[in-house]
Amino acid sequence: MRKPIPMNRRTWVAVWVVLCAAGLAVTAELSASSAPDPSPEKSVSAECAQYIADIERQLARAGQEGEEDGVLGFSRVRVGTEDDCGDEFRNHFGGDR
């Protein structure tokens, strides 16, 4: 009966490196293929853009006056508005929360 041929340490290390590299390559490919497609930029109405710019100015003014720890409040009801800017506000100020 033949005796099995023992594998030396270098062979084991080489096999381990190849398997790890293959696993990393497969993981990277799966992660890239399952990543969501970036959504196209939505256009913001002129009224919402103007309102967002006004809020940015108020925030900047409050920061310059040293009121960084204060609370800046805004009313949700605006007279004479046609657009509901809630989604635009969340996208602009909320980020990816």
Side-chain angles (χ1 to χ4, degrees):
M1 182 172 202
R2 296 174 72 185
K3 191 174 187 183
I5 301 172
M7 294 180 72
N8 62 16
R9 187 174 297 199
R10 286 185 186 179
T11 305
W12 281 112
V13 170
V15 168
W16 181 80
V17 168
V18 169
L19 288 175
C20 286
L24 288 173
V26 169
T27 301
E29 181 65 31
L30 287 174
S31 296
S33 67
S34 65
D37 293 334
S39 61
E41 288 294 319
K42 296 179 182 176
S43 63
V44 178
S45 71
E47 185 179 1
C48 291
Q50 182 181 6
Y51 193 46
I52 288 172
D54 184 44
I55 292 171
E56 289 286 349
R57 281 190 297 275
Q58 291 180 31
L59 289 171
R61 188 178 329 128
Q64 289 175 350
E65 294 174 357
E67 300 175 9
E68 295 163 350
D69 294 334
V71 175
L72 195 59
F74 298 96
S75 172
R76 298 187 95 184
V77 178
R78 294 181 53 213
V79 177
T81 59
E82 294 292 325
D83 292 333
D84 178 24
C85 300
D87 291 338
E88 287 84 359
F89 291 157
R90 278 188 286 282
N91 291 340
H92 185 78
F93 294 108
D96 56 356
R97 290 184 208 173

